[in-house]
Amino acid sequence: MTRALKRVTGQTDTILSVKDLSTSFYTGDGVVKAVDGVSFELKKGETLGVVGESGSGKSVMNLSLMRLIQEPQGRIVNGEIVFDGVNVRQLRIDEVRKIRGKRIAMIFQDPMTSLNPFLKISTQLMEVTRLHLGHSKKQAYEHAVKMLKTVGIPDAETRVDGYPHEFSGGMRQRVMIAMALSCEPELLIADEPTTALDVTIQAQILELIKDLKGRMGTSVILVTHDLGVVAGMTDKIIVMYAGKVFEQAPTRRLFASPANPYTKALLKSVPDPAHEQGKELYQIPGLPPDVANLPPGCPFAPRCERAEEICGKEFPPFVEVASGHHSLCHFAVTSAPNPSA
């Protein structure tokens, strides 16, 4: 079946449409529903923030979008991943490889586990463009140097032939960004790109992604556990918990008028410069649930300050509280802020 036949009709400026995506892992302890019924849309040039605690399903969702879930233990069990009008789930693996790395690229959490320690940086950067752009060895080498300069690595002509261990954490992350952007992808997935970096380097990496997005018009999915990081970077946000989307809203509205108790708890736990000295920082009580053995009702109910009897018995509905703003909660409408906020 050709690409043209697989194209989904009705697509306009939407670059990615995810509908009811579910990914499970089959273990000796049972089925782990790491991603359970996630849906969202991303328009061309937009940045989507994905936030939530560790274990909420953020990284598994991204690996699912890239078709990188390791089978047979892991499996995408349901849903559509429509990229530029094409359902990626229906493509053969060789067809996926033509898209992955070229049209959709990913910056992984830890560059030291993503870069081969035995190969020069030039070799790893050249592989991408020789495979996807058909570059000659000379063209690929020149492009590798150019990309290192683009991401702000000094003395790129010399550093390009270095090994990963010869670069600092921030510089290795820049190499990963250079690799991801080598083919000028239409969609960039940045999976916690600032993890384990100091605050100064974090700011530089985020500013670099923002600058390159502006220049190339790339759509971005920025994944992090830190709501503060996405505040000035994204157009809209989805908040994940226990593999599900608990809240989805435009960024400014979510920060101004959060409608879900979990989102409110996350925002409350972010350190505030005006925090009263000597007063303990807020932390969400309890621990995230075991997604292999979720409690009945709302997964957040055992930790929720708003919970009532119904929360422990019935799974909550995903309710629209305002235009483009949805919340997974039994009390989403009654406790939602003024939609005009």
Side-chain angles (χ1 to χ4, degrees), residues 91 145 338-339:
L91 298 181
V145 174
N338 187 340

Side-chain angles (χ1 to χ4, degrees), residues 287-319:
L287 296 171
D290 177 3
V291 287
N293 297 285
L294 288 172
C298 176
F300 187 60
R303 310 173 68 192
C304 182
E305 297 177 353
R306 177 71 175 82
E308 295 186 16
E309 186 177 354
I310 190 175
C311 302
K313 294 180 178 180
E314 298 180 17
F315 192 82
F318 196 54
V319 179

